[in-house]
Amino acid sequence: MQLYFSPLACSMATRISLYEAEAQARYVEVDPDTKHLPNGDDYRAISPLGLVPALQLDDGSVLTESAAILQYVADRFPGAGLVPTSPLERTRLQQWLSFIGTELHKALFVPLLGDKTPPGAREYALEKGGSKLALLDTHLADRQFLLGRFSVADAYLFTVLTWSMATPVDLKQYPALSAYQVRLRGRPSIARALAEESLLYAQAQARRRKSA
Amino acid sequence: MQLYFSPLACSMATRISLYEAEAQARYVEVDPDTKHLPNGDDYRAISPLGLVPALQLDDGSVLTESAAILQYVADRFPGAGLVPTSPLERTRLQQWLSFIGTELHKALFVPLLGDKTPPGAREYALEKGGSKLALLDTHLADRQFLLGRFSVADAYLFTVLTWSMATPVDLKQYPALSAYQVRLRGRPSIARALAEESLLYAQAQARRRKSA
């Protein structure tokens, strides 16, 4: 099993989940600008849109889309308890994965993080995102995790919230969400993934400056 | 079971799936502007963000997010065969649901359809969307459906493609995708849902003009 990732991108959620499951995996870095792999190959031969994550299985097949990959990892390593076993709770997990993927990842953070985002679109995303963050804040006010225990949806939400520091999103306005972020940062799988990917991110930035 | 919908919104995918499953359900229209129900109640008491679809179960619990609701309907009516039974194919289904929800619904069509979308954001969405539609076109070149047979992912994709007629997205540039749309329009569940919701949409527009 091989995870194609870019440092601190949404692929970090899959890394966290693999660490939670103590799964054996290789991690292959994708340059988000050139779409090249460390060996010079074009990543688009693996995943046509060039987006991370992609998870390549041992038979060579390639999975894409965080919501699908995270559930695959959770189901493949059931001992880690990364998805609820009750059908209705599984539906709730899918609900959160979809909410994080559509409302936070795509609608809020992609426009805020993109360096080609047109004028006005940032403010628009920020304005629309407020009610989504408020909903999460209310949900987490009396909960440790999105569901009854840590799940792949928390791995995804934590990863996406990490991006707020590079945007005008002020998590301090959402006390329960801020407390959740701080709490999860202390979880070993998350602390390890965040430390490793922060270092890789800094190294990639240094390479970019050198070649500019 | 009760589906909260707005005519021709993404909730149509759930209606199509319920028709495929020959499921008993009530359909409650939500005014997308006022968020009011036909009886005057505020829909946000059911679903706080006011987004459709929401599926209310007989025990009163409310499901949101198309990707979750569609899988719930498919699993509740297994005889309709709306999801693949093999685990890897189920992952592929989740991959398509996520792709449609994030790349097409949120990133491409929401900016194109929104009347408050800032200048520049439409063109940006359109430009970024091209590679996503091209990927689908390639995938469908030698296939009838996204997976081996009709699934809830097709119900969702068909619904989203319907919106292209109100946007500058020109599906004729994608011959396999255009042929897929025409083919699916002939499917009884889809023909029925599209006819009913088109009528409701026209009636809602007429009410809006009258009250303006």
Side-chain angles (χ1 to χ4, degrees), chain B residues 19-78:
Chain B
Y19 287 175
E20 285 281 335
E22 298 177 23
Q24 293 294 320
R26 287 186 57 211
Y27 296 86
V28 183
E29 187 170 342
V30 178
D31 185 312
D33 297 327
T34 65
K35 309 292 182 192
H36 283 177
L37 303 178
N39 67 3
D41 284 358
D42 190 332
Y43 173 56
R44 284 164 293 203
I46 309 282
S47 184
L49 294 175
L51 301 173
V52 292
L55 188 69
Q56 191 161 33
L57 307 183
D58 293 342
D59 68 359
S61 56
V62 174
L63 308 178
T64 60
E65 299 289 332
S66 286
I69 292 175
L70 290 170
Q71 291 187 77
Y72 174 85
V73 169
D75 287 333
R76 177 142 165 195
F77 304 98

Side-chain angles (χ1 to χ4, degrees), chain B residues 129-194:
Chain B
S131 62
K132 316 305 183 327
L133 295 168
L135 179 136
L136 271 176
D137 196 53
T138 303
H139 181 76
L140 290 168
D142 55 359
R143 287 181 180 85
Q144 292 283 309
F145 304 109
L146 287 169
L147 300 167
R149 55 177 290 179
F150 182 86
S151 73
V152 289
D154 295 297
Y156 194 13
L157 178 56
F158 178 85
T159 298
V160 166
L161 292 178
T162 302
W163 302 336
S164 61
M165 67 181 191
T167 73
V169 170
D170 180 12
L171 288 188
K172 286 195 291 296
Q173 287 180 45
Y174 309 97
L177 200 50
S178 295
Y180 168 88
Q181 190 188 31
V182 171
R183 212 159 53 230
L184 261 65
R185 214 184 279 141
R187 201 173 167 91
S189 64
I190 288 182
R192 180 183 162 199
L194 189 61

Side-chain angles (χ1 to χ4, degrees), chain B residues 38-131:
Chain B
N39 67 3
D41 284 358
D42 190 332
Y43 173 56
R44 284 164 293 203
I46 309 282
S47 184
L49 294 175
L51 301 173
V52 292
L55 188 69
Q56 191 161 33
L57 307 183
D58 293 342
D59 68 359
S61 56
V62 174
L63 308 178
T64 60
E65 299 289 332
S66 286
I69 292 175
L70 290 170
Q71 291 187 77
Y72 174 85
V73 169
D75 287 333
R76 177 142 165 195
F77 304 98
L82 295 172
V83 278
T85 49
S86 114
L88 193 60
E89 283 298 290
R90 178 69 177 237
T91 300
R92 294 280 176 216
L93 176 94
Q94 290 166 347
Q95 191 175 304
W96 285 117
L97 290 173
S98 176
F99 176 84
I100 299 162
T102 57
E103 302 296 351
L104 300 185
H105 181 172
K106 273 291 153 177
L108 177 59
F109 284 108
V110 166
L112 294 180
L113 293 166
D115 50 10
K116 288 176 195 145
T117 307
R122 270 172 230 277
E123 291 68 22
Y124 182 68
L126 206 54
E127 183 202 320
K128 299 254 286 184
S131 62

